PDB file of all heavy atoms in Angstrom:
ATOM      1  N   ALA B 131      43.327  75.438  56.526  1.00 98.00           N
ATOM      2  CA  ALA B 131      43.144  74.023  56.183  1.00 98.00           C
ATOM      3  C   ALA B 131      41.685  73.583  56.322  1.00 98.00           C
ATOM      4  O   ALA B 131      41.219  72.710  55.592  1.00 98.00           O
ATOM      5  CB  ALA B 131      44.047  73.154  57.055  1.00 98.00           C
ATOM      6  N   TYR B 132      40.948  74.219  57.233  1.00 98.00           N
ATOM      7  CA  TYR B 132      39.567  73.846  57.507  1.00 98.00           C
ATOM      8  C   TYR B 132      38.645  74.006  56.298  1.00 98.00           C
ATOM      9  O   TYR B 132      37.572  73.392  56.234  1.00 98.00           O
ATOM     10  CB  TYR B 132      39.020  74.673  58.667  1.00 98.00           C
ATOM     11  CG  TYR B 132      38.692  76.112  58.336  1.00 98.00           C
ATOM     12  CD1 TYR B 132      37.372  76.518  58.079  1.00 98.00           C
ATOM     13  CD2 TYR B 132      39.696  77.075  58.232  1.00 98.00           C
ATOM     14  CE1 TYR B 132      37.072  77.833  57.768  1.00 98.00           C
ATOM     15  CE2 TYR B 132      39.393  78.397  57.916  1.00 98.00           C
ATOM     16  CZ  TYR B 132      38.090  78.768  57.688  1.00 98.00           C
ATOM     17  OH  TYR B 132      37.798  80.080  57.358  1.00 98.00           O
ATOM     18  N   ILE B 133      39.038  74.824  55.316  1.00 98.00           N
ATOM     19  CA  ILE B 133      38.140  75.145  54.203  1.00 98.00           C
ATOM     20  C   ILE B 133      38.308  74.182  53.025  1.00 98.00           C
ATOM     21  O   ILE B 133      37.685  74.366  51.967  1.00 98.00           O
ATOM     22  CB  ILE B 133      38.353  76.610  53.759  1.00 98.00           C
ATOM     23  CG1 ILE B 133      37.047  77.205  53.165  1.00 98.00           C
ATOM     24  CG2 ILE B 133      39.529  76.742  52.784  1.00 98.00           C
ATOM     25  CD1 ILE B 133      35.960  77.448  54.180  1.00 98.00           C
ATOM     26  N   SER B 134      39.092  73.131  53.183  1.00 97.00           N
ATOM     27  CA  SER B 134      39.416  72.241  52.059  1.00 97.00           C
ATOM     28  C   SER B 134      38.193  71.533  51.476  1.00 97.00           C
ATOM     29  O   SER B 134      38.230  71.095  50.322  1.00 97.00           O
ATOM     30  CB  SER B 134      40.478  71.208  52.454  1.00 97.00           C
ATOM     31  OG  SER B 134      40.022  70.411  53.522  1.00 97.00           O
ATOM     32  N   ALA B 135      37.113  71.416  52.226  1.00 96.00           N
ATOM     33  CA  ALA B 135      35.895  70.807  51.675  1.00 96.00           C
ATOM     34  C   ALA B 135      35.228  71.722  50.661  1.00 96.00           C
ATOM     35  O   ALA B 135      34.465  71.275  49.803  1.00 96.00           O
ATOM     36  CB  ALA B 135      34.915  70.479  52.798  1.00 96.00           C
ATOM     37  N   MET B 136      35.546  73.020  50.750  1.00 96.00           N
ATOM     38  CA  MET B 136      34.935  74.005  49.853  1.00 96.00           C
ATOM     39  C   MET B 136      35.866  74.408  48.715  1.00 96.00           C
ATOM     40  O   MET B 136      35.419  74.697  47.612  1.00 96.00           O
ATOM     41  CB  MET B 136      34.529  75.248  50.669  1.00 96.00           C
ATOM     42  CG  MET B 136      33.648  76.238  49.954  1.00 96.00           C
ATOM     43  SD  MET B 136      33.111  77.621  51.021  1.00 96.00           S
ATOM     44  CE  MET B 136      31.942  76.810  52.118  1.00 96.00           C
ATOM     45  N   ASP B 137      37.172  74.444  48.969  1.00 95.00           N
ATOM     46  CA  ASP B 137      38.174  74.877  47.991  1.00 95.00           C
ATOM     47  C   ASP B 137      39.178  73.763  47.717  1.00 95.00           C
ATOM     48  O   ASP B 137      39.618  73.087  48.647  1.00 95.00           O
ATOM     49  CB  ASP B 137      38.939  76.106  48.490  1.00 95.00           C
ATOM     50  CG  ASP B 137      38.140  77.383  48.364  1.00 95.00           C
ATOM     51  OD1 ASP B 137      37.075  77.363  47.732  1.00 95.00           O
ATOM     52  OD2 ASP B 137      38.592  78.414  48.885  1.00 95.00           O
ATOM     53  N   SER B 138      39.593  73.623  46.467  1.00 94.00           N
ATOM     54  CA  SER B 138      40.566  72.589  46.094  1.00 94.00           C
ATOM     55  C   SER B 138      41.993  73.035  46.416  1.00 94.00           C
ATOM     56  O   SER B 138      42.421  74.114  46.004  1.00 94.00           O
ATOM     57  CB  SER B 138      40.457  72.273  44.606  1.00 94.00           C
ATOM     58  OG  SER B 138      41.509  71.420  44.206  1.00 94.00           O
ATOM     59  N   THR B 139      42.705  72.180  47.130  1.00 96.00           N
ATOM     60  CA  THR B 139      44.120  72.460  47.416  1.00 96.00           C
ATOM     61  C   THR B 139      44.992  72.215  46.180  1.00 96.00           C
ATOM     62  O   THR B 139      46.129  72.672  46.120  1.00 96.00           O
ATOM     63  CB  THR B 139      44.639  71.564  48.550  1.00 96.00           C
ATOM     64  OG1 THR B 139      44.464  70.190  48.180  1.00 96.00           O
ATOM     65  CG2 THR B 139      43.872  71.820  49.840  1.00 96.00           C
ATOM     66  N   LYS B 140      44.462  71.529  45.192  1.00 95.00           N
ATOM     67  CA  LYS B 140      45.242  71.181  43.994  1.00 95.00           C
ATOM     68  C   LYS B 140      45.606  72.408  43.155  1.00 95.00           C
ATOM     69  O   LYS B 140      46.505  72.337  42.315  1.00 95.00           O
ATOM     70  CB  LYS B 140      44.458  70.184  43.129  1.00 95.00           C
ATOM     71  CG  LYS B 140      44.268  68.824  43.792  1.00 95.00           C
ATOM     72  CD  LYS B 140      43.441  67.900  42.922  1.00 95.00           C
ATOM     73  CE  LYS B 140      43.228  66.549  43.608  1.00 95.00           C
ATOM     74  NZ  LYS B 140      42.358  65.655  42.798  1.00 95.00           N
ATOM     75  N   LYS B 141      44.901  73.501  43.392  1.00 94.00           N
ATOM     76  CA  LYS B 141      45.175  74.728  42.618  1.00 94.00           C
ATOM     77  C   LYS B 141      46.306  75.561  43.235  1.00 94.00           C
ATOM     78  O   LYS B 141      46.595  76.658  42.777  1.00 94.00           O
ATOM     79  CB  LYS B 141      43.895  75.559  42.509  1.00 94.00           C
ATOM     80  CG  LYS B 141      42.824  74.837  41.686  1.00 94.00           C
ATOM     81  CD  LYS B 141      41.591  75.663  41.459  1.00 94.00           C
ATOM     82  CE  LYS B 141      40.578  74.886  40.605  1.00 94.00           C
ATOM     83  NZ  LYS B 141      39.365  75.658  40.325  1.00 94.00           N
ATOM     84  N   ALA B 142      46.923  75.015  44.287  1.00 96.00           N
ATOM     85  CA  ALA B 142      48.009  75.735  44.959  1.00 96.00           C
ATOM     86  C   ALA B 142      49.163  74.778  45.231  1.00 96.00           C
ATOM     87  O   ALA B 142      49.513  74.511  46.383  1.00 96.00           O
ATOM     88  CB  ALA B 142      47.510  76.364  46.246  1.00 96.00           C
ATOM     89  N   SER B 143      49.768  74.279  44.176  1.00 95.00           N
ATOM     90  CA  SER B 143      50.813  73.250  44.304  1.00 95.00           C
ATOM     91  C   SER B 143      52.084  73.779  44.960  1.00 95.00           C
ATOM     92  O   SER B 143      52.917  72.990  45.432  1.00 95.00           O
ATOM     93  CB  SER B 143      51.158  72.672  42.925  1.00 95.00           C
ATOM     94  OG  SER B 143      51.612  73.697  42.052  1.00 95.00           O
ATOM     95  N   LEU B 144      52.252  75.099  45.015  1.00 95.00           N
ATOM     96  CA  LEU B 144      53.458  75.671  45.595  1.00 95.00           C
ATOM     97  C   LEU B 144      53.261  76.092  47.060  1.00 95.00           C
ATOM     98  O   LEU B 144      54.204  76.560  47.694  1.00 95.00           O
ATOM     99  CB  LEU B 144      53.907  76.911  44.796  1.00 95.00           C
ATOM    100  CG  LEU B 144      54.183  76.692  43.304  1.00 95.00           C
ATOM    101  CD1 LEU B 144      54.547  78.011  42.641  1.00 95.00           C
ATOM    102  CD2 LEU B 144      55.298  75.671  43.123  1.00 95.00           C
ATOM    103  N   LEU B 145      52.066  75.908  47.583  1.00 97.00           N
ATOM    104  CA  LEU B 145      51.783  76.310  48.959  1.00 97.00           C
ATOM    105  C   LEU B 145      52.372  75.296  49.928  1.00 97.00           C
ATOM    106  O   LEU B 145      51.999  74.127  49.909  1.00 97.00           O
ATOM    107  CB  LEU B 145      50.270  76.433  49.179  1.00 97.00           C
ATOM    108  CG  LEU B 145      49.805  76.988  50.525  1.00 97.00           C
ATOM    109  CD1 LEU B 145      50.260  78.426  50.711  1.00 97.00           C
ATOM    110  CD2 LEU B 145      48.286  76.875  50.650  1.00 97.00           C
ATOM    111  N   THR B 146      53.279  75.737  50.765  1.00 94.00           N
ATOM    112  CA  THR B 146      53.987  74.811  51.661  1.00 94.00           C
ATOM    113  C   THR B 146      53.343  74.705  53.038  1.00 94.00           C
ATOM    114  O   THR B 146      53.578  73.739  53.763  1.00 94.00           O
ATOM    115  CB  THR B 146      55.456  75.228  51.839  1.00 94.00           C
ATOM    116  OG1 THR B 146      55.503  76.575  52.310  1.00 94.00           O
ATOM    117  CG2 THR B 146      56.194  75.126  50.503  1.00 94.00           C
ATOM    118  N   ASN B 147      52.537  75.697  53.431  1.00 96.00           N
ATOM    119  CA  ASN B 147      51.799  75.597  54.691  1.00 96.00           C
ATOM    120  C   ASN B 147      50.525  76.421  54.572  1.00 96.00           C
ATOM    121  O   ASN B 147      50.430  77.310  53.735  1.00 96.00           O
ATOM    122  CB  ASN B 147      52.639  76.056  55.882  1.00 96.00           C
ATOM    123  CG  ASN B 147      52.866  77.549  55.910  1.00 96.00           C
ATOM    124  OD1 ASN B 147      51.987  78.324  56.272  1.00 96.00           O
ATOM    125  ND2 ASN B 147      54.059  77.980  55.490  1.00 96.00           N
ATOM    126  N   THR B 148      49.551  76.096  55.388  1.00 98.00           N
ATOM    127  CA  THR B 148      48.237  76.715  55.280  1.00 98.00           C
ATOM    128  C   THR B 148      47.982  77.765  56.382  1.00 98.00           C
ATOM    129  O   THR B 148      46.842  78.138  56.627  1.00 98.00           O
ATOM    130  CB  THR B 148      47.125  75.652  55.334  1.00 98.00           C
ATOM    131  OG1 THR B 148      47.292  74.858  56.530  1.00 98.00           O
ATOM    132  CG2 THR B 148      47.192  74.744  54.110  1.00 98.00           C
ATOM    133  N   GLN B 149      49.039  78.233  57.004  1.00 98.00           N
ATOM    134  CA  GLN B 149      48.880  79.275  58.010  1.00 98.00           C
ATOM    135  C   GLN B 149      48.327  80.525  57.363  1.00 98.00           C
ATOM    136  O   GLN B 149      48.866  81.024  56.365  1.00 98.00           O
ATOM    137  CB  GLN B 149      50.216  79.588  58.683  1.00 98.00           C
ATOM    138  CG  GLN B 149      50.113  80.643  59.777  1.00 98.00           C
ATOM    139  CD  GLN B 149      51.446  80.945  60.442  1.00 98.00           C
ATOM    140  OE1 GLN B 149      52.395  80.181  60.297  1.00 98.00           O
ATOM    141  NE2 GLN B 149      51.513  82.053  61.144  1.00 98.00           N
ATOM    142  N   GLY B 150      47.229  81.050  57.914  1.00 98.00           N
ATOM    143  CA  GLY B 150      46.589  82.228  57.348  1.00 98.00           C
ATOM    144  C   GLY B 150      47.241  83.522  57.825  1.00 98.00           C
ATOM    145  O   GLY B 150      48.320  83.526  58.425  1.00 98.00           O
ATOM    146  N   LEU B 151      46.545  84.634  57.563  1.00 98.00           N
ATOM    147  CA  LEU B 151      47.087  85.942  57.955  1.00 98.00           C
ATOM    148  C   LEU B 151      46.965  86.180  59.453  1.00 98.00           C
ATOM    149  O   LEU B 151      47.611  87.080  59.996  1.00 98.00           O
ATOM    150  CB  LEU B 151      46.362  87.061  57.196  1.00 98.00           C
ATOM    151  CG  LEU B 151      46.409  87.007  55.665  1.00 98.00           C
ATOM    152  CD1 LEU B 151      45.808  88.272  55.077  1.00 98.00           C
ATOM    153  CD2 LEU B 151      47.822  86.804  55.149  1.00 98.00           C
ATOM    154  N   ASN B 152      46.122  85.394  60.114  1.00 98.00           N
ATOM    155  CA  ASN B 152      45.989  85.454  61.567  1.00 98.00           C
ATOM    156  C   ASN B 152      45.572  86.865  62.043  1.00 98.00           C
ATOM    157  O   ASN B 152      46.029  87.338  63.088  1.00 98.00           O
ATOM    158  CB  ASN B 152      47.291  85.014  62.248  1.00 98.00           C
ATOM    159  CG  ASN B 152      47.079  84.532  63.684  1.00 98.00           C
ATOM    160  OD1 ASN B 152      45.996  84.083  64.035  1.00 98.00           O
ATOM    161  ND2 ASN B 152      48.096  84.656  64.503  1.00 98.00           N
ATOM    162  N   LEU B 153      44.724  87.500  61.271  1.00 98.00           N
ATOM    163  CA  LEU B 153      44.239  88.827  61.637  1.00 98.00           C
ATOM    164  C   LEU B 153      43.078  88.742  62.621  1.00 98.00           C
ATOM    165  O   LEU B 153      42.738  89.716  63.283  1.00 98.00           O
ATOM    166  CB  LEU B 153      43.799  89.593  60.384  1.00 98.00           C
ATOM    167  CG  LEU B 153      44.929  89.989  59.435  1.00 98.00           C
ATOM    168  CD1 LEU B 153      44.376  90.490  58.110  1.00 98.00           C
ATOM    169  CD2 LEU B 153      45.836  91.040  60.081  1.00 98.00           C
ATOM    170  N   VAL B 154      42.441  87.563  62.667  1.00 98.00           N
ATOM    171  CA  VAL B 154      41.345  87.310  63.609  1.00 98.00           C
ATOM    172  C   VAL B 154      41.594  85.961  64.286  1.00 98.00           C
ATOM    173  O   VAL B 154      42.413  85.158  63.786  1.00 98.00           O
ATOM    174  CB  VAL B 154      39.967  87.298  62.891  1.00 98.00           C
ATOM    175  CG1 VAL B 154      39.667  88.674  62.300  1.00 98.00           C
ATOM    176  CG2 VAL B 154      39.924  86.231  61.800  1.00 98.00           C
ATOM    177  N   ASP B 155      40.915  85.708  65.384  1.00 97.00           N
ATOM    178  CA  ASP B 155      41.131  84.454  66.105  1.00 97.00           C
ATOM    179  C   ASP B 155      40.020  83.441  65.865  1.00 97.00           C
ATOM    180  O   ASP B 155      39.883  82.465  66.591  1.00 97.00           O
ATOM    181  CB  ASP B 155      41.307  84.709  67.601  1.00 97.00           C
ATOM    182  CG  ASP B 155      40.076  85.374  68.229  1.00 97.00           C
ATOM    183  OD1 ASP B 155      39.074  85.582  67.501  1.00 97.00           O
ATOM    184  OD2 ASP B 155      40.118  85.683  69.435  1.00 97.00           O
ATOM    185  N   PHE B 156      39.240  83.670  64.804  1.00 98.00           N
ATOM    186  CA  PHE B 156      38.155  82.758  64.460  1.00 98.00           C
ATOM    187  C   PHE B 156      38.299  82.318  63.009  1.00 98.00           C
ATOM    188  O   PHE B 156      39.188  82.763  62.286  1.00 98.00           O
ATOM    189  CB  PHE B 156      36.790  83.417  64.702  1.00 98.00           C
ATOM    190  CG  PHE B 156      36.616  84.734  63.981  1.00 98.00           C
ATOM    191  CD1 PHE B 156      36.244  84.789  62.644  1.00 98.00           C
ATOM    192  CD2 PHE B 156      36.809  85.937  64.670  1.00 98.00           C
ATOM    193  CE1 PHE B 156      36.096  86.006  61.989  1.00 98.00           C
ATOM    194  CE2 PHE B 156      36.645  87.160  64.021  1.00 98.00           C
ATOM    195  CZ  PHE B 156      36.290  87.177  62.682  1.00 98.00           C
ATOM    196  N   TYR B 157      37.382  81.430  62.594  1.00 98.00           N
ATOM    197  CA  TYR B 157      37.444  80.832  61.258  1.00 98.00           C
ATOM    198  C   TYR B 157      36.126  81.081  60.536  1.00 98.00           C
ATOM    199  O   TYR B 157      35.096  80.529  60.904  1.00 98.00           O
ATOM    200  CB  TYR B 157      37.718  79.330  61.389  1.00 98.00           C
ATOM    201  CG  TYR B 157      39.031  79.026  62.072  1.00 98.00           C
ATOM    202  CD1 TYR B 157      39.149  79.121  63.463  1.00 98.00           C
ATOM    203  CD2 TYR B 157      40.154  78.659  61.335  1.00 98.00           C
ATOM    204  CE1 TYR B 157      40.356  78.870  64.095  1.00 98.00           C
ATOM    205  CE2 TYR B 157      41.373  78.387  61.973  1.00 98.00           C
ATOM    206  CZ  TYR B 157      41.462  78.498  63.342  1.00 98.00           C
ATOM    207  OH  TYR B 157      42.659  78.256  63.975  1.00 98.00           O
TER     208      TYR B 157
END
Side-chain angles (χ1 to χ4, degrees):
Y132 75 100
I133 209 70
S134 60
M136 191 176 289
D137 283 351
S138 172
T139 58
K140 294 178 181 177
K141 295 184 179 181
S143 60
L144 303 177
L145 186 64
T146 56
N147 71 77
T148 54
Q149 182 179 344
L151 302 187
N152 203 26
L153 292 169
V154 296
D155 61 2
F156 55 82
Y157 299 77

